[in-house]
Amino acid sequence: MQVLQIHAGPAALRLLRERRLVPEDVAVIPGAAGGPKGLVLGPLDRYLFGQWLAGSSHTVHLLGASIGAWRLATACLADPVDGFRQLTESYVNQRYHHEPGRAPKAAHVSAIFGGELDRLLGASVAQILAHPRYRLHVFTSRGRHLLGRQGSLRTPLGYLGAYATNALSRKAMGGWLERVIFSDPREPLPLQVQDFRTRIVGLDAQNFRASLLASCSIPFWLDAVHDIPGAPRGAYWDGGITDYHLHLDYASMRGGNRDGVELPRGIVLYPHFQPNMVPGWLDKALRHRHRATAMLDNVVVISPHPQWIATLPNGKLPDRTDLQRHGADVEGRARVWRLAVAESERLAETFANWLDGRTDLPLQPLR
């Protein structure tokens, strides 16, 4: 049974066919939205940030949306291994009060989730923002026009408008929603973000919590976060709405110059739960937008192999349908998710063995 698969853009594929990756190759690590699916990446995260990258001294930019932003903020802790374990336990054990047969209220979910962010990261904000090597960039989606404020009528109407315009053109959706990146001010993003309407705001202690909560605020499941300090006024939602899998222009990255020598632009190492990258959440049904593009030239995606996924409970990754499947049986759902996380230790072991040359994995082009 194959456990892990590796897909890469043309430039990254050429490098991998010449030699193994070394930590210094990696310039960017994205973290996708996707809710519970991200749980299976926990062991990979612990290995990458706790061991493999820990011994290097170069700067790495961490780009995250939704649970990906939470994961990559955790990577900036002094003890990321323990941080990732706590993140997993927090996510697995999530409980929300609600009436039988009805979804929990968004305000309640936001309060519980915000409390968990405070508990796990609140005391470490200064440490995260001052990490000597990692530069965190948190992706959010800011509503425009009808979506400029949350409302019982304007929000569903606004998202209906966003859905319709996105079906015609992803760029046209910028009339309803714009990408706002809360970005480490010490170094700019190393790539261009001109593919979609975008604003960049400095990430600091005053907006860290609000931006991270906003990045995880799924419309209708959580409340929007309004008027984040230092950013344009408005309602901010999940970063996955505009950037579900962060299909960005990584090919625009520049390597810089050191002592008169041009440096390579670096590899984008992408631990992901699937091999393809869906641009925005509203693109999930538009399969023609799931294909690889020239923007992914230097991207390496490591993801679970379908053969391994088939061995998990219900033959799939954890996802939000499990919340409905198990209903009030919170312990049953948590047990299934813990089993998937335990099995995903094999993903980290396989990747470590490949990096060390102890095993071979087929290298495939991104598709």
Side-chain angles (χ1 to χ4, degrees):
M1 180 185 69
Q2 294 189 56
V3 174
L4 197 70
Q5 53 188 350
I6 298 179
H7 293 78
L13 201 57
R14 288 193 296 272
L15 173 69
L16 295 183
R17 285 172 173 162
E18 293 173 3
R19 60 172 176 82
R20 304 286 182 184
L21 276 179
V22 296
E24 290 74 16
D25 290 329
V26 178
V28 170
I29 297 180
K37 296 185 184 75
L39 290 171
V40 300
L41 302 176
L44 266 172
D45 287 336
R46 295 201 304 270
Y47 170 71
L48 286 173
F49 293 103
Q51 297 181 51
W52 192 62
L53 284 170
S56 63
S57 59
H58 70 297
T59 296
V60 182
H61 291 266
L62 310 180
L63 284 57
S66 199
I67 191 175
W70 190 3
R71 286 172 46 222
L72 295 176
T74 301
C76 299
L77 293 173
D79 185 353
V81 173
D82 182 62
F84 283 123
R85 288 199 176 100
Q86 290 192 50
L87 184 160
T88 296
E89 279 303 300
S90 173
Y91 206 101
V92 167
N93 290 321
Q94 60 184 282
R95 297 168 183 262
Y96 304 106
H97 302 298
H98 58 91
E99 297 176 16
R102 303 189 68 176
K105 293 182 178 179
H108 172 64
V109 178
S110 289
I112 297 292
F113 189 80
E116 284 300 283
L117 290 181
D118 291 339
R119 183 177 71 84
L120 297 177
L121 301 176
S124 303
V125 173
Q127 178 189 105
I128 292 168
L129 296 176
H131 195 284
R133 295 176 43 232
Y134 299 150
R135 306 291 183 258
L136 180 64
H137 309 275
V138 177
F139 283 60
T140 66
S141 304
R142 174 180 174 264
R144 305 182 67 230
H145 307 305
L146 266 181
L147 291 175
R149 313 301 290 182
Q150 180 174 287
S152 58
L153 182 60
R154 62 191 300 160
T155 299
L157 286 176
Y159 274 103
L160 182 61
Y163 181 86
T165 53
N166 183 70
L168 296 174
S169 163
R170 173 165 158 77
K171 279 196 172 185
M173 190 179 68
W176 295 92
L177 292 155
E178 66 180 359
R179 168 196 294 149
V180 178
I181 308 170
F182 291 83
S183 181
D184 189 321
R186 293 175 294 174
E187 292 186 38
L189 277 167
L191 63 149
Q192 296 178 11
V193 283
Q194 299 172 349
D195 59 303
F196 189 77
R197 184 185 181 96
T198 301
R199 294 178 189 251
I200 297 178
V201 175
L203 180 66
D204 59 31
Q206 283 67 50
N207 59 32
F208 175 86
R209 180 191 188 272
S211 62
L212 193 58
L213 178 58
S215 187
C216 298
S217 292
I218 305 165
F220 310 108
W221 283 80
L222 285 85
D223 280 339
V225 178
H226 287 84
D227 305 334
I228 298 177
R233 287 175 56 82
Y236 289 76
W237 278 280
D238 195 301
I241 302 299
T242 54
D243 292 284
Y244 191 44
H245 294 164
L246 296 124
H247 187 139
L248 305 171
D249 190 4
Y250 301 108
S252 69
M253 289 166 52
R254 295 180 178 273
N257 189 287
R258 182 184 299 157
D259 299 327
V261 178
E262 185 70 21
L263 300 175
R265 61 185 170 177
I267 289 294
V268 177
L269 181 61
Y270 199 158
H272 198 8
F273 42 79
Q274 63 185 53
N276 59 330
M277 296 160 64
V278 181
W281 190 80
L282 297 176
D283 296 320
K284 289 197 295 184
L286 305 177
R287 300 194 65 84
H288 63 283
R289 295 189 187 171
H290 300 188
R291 294 192 292 264
T293 68
M295 298 195 302
L296 309 181
D297 185 48
N298 52 329
V299 175
V300 176
V301 175
I302 51 177
S303 63
H305 195 281
Q307 290 180 0
W308 176 80
I309 293 174
T311 69
L312 298 179
N314 304 310
K316 66 176 186 62
L317 298 174
D319 60 33
R320 271 188 288 275
T321 65
D322 295 327
L323 297 171
Q324 285 79 41
R325 181 192 299 268
H326 292 274
D329 184 13
V330 176
E331 292 302 327
R333 187 262 305 154
R335 187 165 51 250
V336 165
W337 284 6
R338 283 198 188 92
L339 180 57
V341 171
E343 290 296 318
S344 65
E345 295 285 351
R346 298 183 65 181
L347 302 178
E349 292 168 4
T350 302
F351 188 59
N353 288 339
W354 176 75
L355 288 170
D356 291 342
R358 287 175 286 174
T359 190
D360 284 323
L361 291 173
L363 302 176
Q364 306 173 70
L366 282 169
R367 56 179 189 268

